[in-house]
Amino acid sequence: MSEGRELLIRAIKNGIVIDHIPSEKVFAIVEILKLKEYSERITVATNMPSSSLGRKGIIKIEEKILEEKELNNISLLAPNVTINIIDNYEVVEKSKLDKLDKVIGLMKCDNPKCISNHENIETKFIRVEEDLNENNLEEKTKYKCFYCEKIILEDEIQIQ
Ligand code: CTP
Ligand code: ZN
């Protein structure tokens, strides 16, 4: 690091830090949290060096409390992020999000014939258990529509 030439991202006083975001998911999270309309200080960083991910993104949002629906939406898009709650500059809570087993009313079914696209009912998906492929790598997470059984891969998720 060249001394004095590098501005580090500043610590925040109160709020939340979403850390270890895959870089390509950062702007999707900015969008689902509607941060464009948010008036407190927000820091968004992508392609930051990370020992575990190679590169990562970070979003810091001052004075923000995440609601359950927002947490669920984040976990749909980027299940392995870390949520840090900051209170008076201290990390007072750190949690990893879990993948959702059931996803109700958050994502769209992309089958145009699906009843959930025609009737006024909440969408409902069940996570399909991952199989390990022959290289022992986890396959992509899949969700199955409860109504029409259409499978949605994690990269194809459309938030409602
Ligand atoms: N952070 C912040 N403002 C603070 C405290 C922490 O923005 N007042 C940020 C840090 O920059 C980091 C994240 O919150 O991105 C988590 O902080 P900390 O737990 O101190 O960092 P690490 O130990 O590196 O976290 P982890 O083990 O989860 O990688
Ligand atoms: Zn469906």
Side-chain angles (χ1 to χ4, degrees), residues 9-14 16-20 51-52 56 58-60 82-91 93-94 96:
I9 311 175
R10 61 192 281 167
I12 67 171
K13 185 167 185 204
N14 293 303
I16 55 143
V17 175
I18 310 171
D19 198 357
H20 307 124
S51 47
S52 53
K56 68 171 182 179
I58 303 176
I59 303 174
K60 302 188 180 192
T82 307
I83 307 286
N84 297 278
I85 299 178
I86 314 294
D87 183 11
N88 201 19
Y89 292 105
E90 299 290 326
V91 178
E93 205 180 311
K94 182 187 286 287
K96 279 260 169 203

Side-chain angles (χ1 to χ4, degrees), residues 55-70:
R55 288 167 169 212
K56 68 171 182 179
I58 303 176
I59 303 174
K60 302 188 180 192
I61 316 170
E62 300 259 9
E63 305 301 337
K64 173 82 177 163
I65 294 169
L66 287 171
E67 290 163 16
E68 187 164 349
K69 183 169 182 191
E70 293 176 312

Side-chain angles (χ1 to χ4, degrees), residues 108-111 113-117 123-125 144-150 152:
K108 283 184 216 157
C109 182
D110 70 5
N111 170 8
K113 292 189 180 145
C114 179
I115 187 168
S116 70
N117 287 318
T123 60
K124 184 164 161 185
F125 290 83
K144 183 155 100 176
C145 178
F146 172 79
Y147 298 105
C148 73
E149 306 207 322
K150 175 84 205 267
I152 311 277

